[in-house]
Amino acid sequence: VECSGQVSVGFSKCPFYQECERDRLQLNMASCVEDVCERKADGMYCEDDHVVECRGLRTVNVTKCGLSEECKKNALGRNAAACVEDDCRYKPDGSYCKHDGVVECSGQV
């Protein structure tokens, strides 16, 4: 929130992989700063149903998993998360509740 004369004059929402932090050097200043990748080795990680690619302690790419997918840690190897559809794995044909919706399964078993 940006203020002028004790009145709000602007608002910017930080991406989910960043946090709003006050500037330690400049008085009354804040900004969105990296959060997810700041302590992670290069690779891909799960964060809030997204695959986040980290390189050099920074977020370089973000992919939102589809409605019927889940982010699986190490799905493609160490530090290699991926969106994986598994709603119907090992389930007989039919309909099931998942992700606040109905999933139709056919021919999976």
Side-chain angles (χ1 to χ4, degrees):
V1 175
E2 186 178 345
C3 301
S4 177
Q6 297 183 338
V7 175
S8 176
V9 293
F11 175 80
S12 298
K13 181 154 179 58
C14 295
F16 77 93
Y17 57 89
Q18 294 182 338
E19 285 185 348
C20 182
E21 287 188 6
R22 293 185 65 116
D23 192 309
R24 294 185 179 124
L25 301 176
Q26 296 182 1
L27 184 63
N28 298 329
M29 293 296 293
S31 61
C32 297
V33 295
E34 183 67 41
D35 180 44
V36 172
C37 292
E38 68 184 358
R39 291 184 192 95
K40 290 191 165 84
D42 290 358
M44 295 182 291
Y45 299 89
C46 294
E47 184 74 29
D48 297 328
D49 291 326
H50 290 75
V51 174
V52 177
E53 184 177 358
C54 299
R55 194 174 311 135
L57 304 177
R58 306 288 302 160
T59 299
V60 294
N61 192 27
V62 176
T63 303
K64 181 167 178 36
C65 294
L67 182 62
S68 64
E69 296 177 319
E70 293 181 273
C71 188
K72 295 287 187 182
K73 174 179 147 181
N74 300 327
L76 303 174
R78 183 174 178 180
N79 297 340
C83 295
V84 177
E85 184 166 338
D86 69 343
D87 289 337
C88 292
R89 186 182 283 168
Y90 309 117
K91 292 191 181 188
D93 292 356
S95 58
Y96 301 89
C97 294
K98 185 94 175 200
H99 306 292
D100 296 325
V102 177
V103 175
E104 297 285 334
C105 298
S106 177
Q108 294 297 316
V109 187

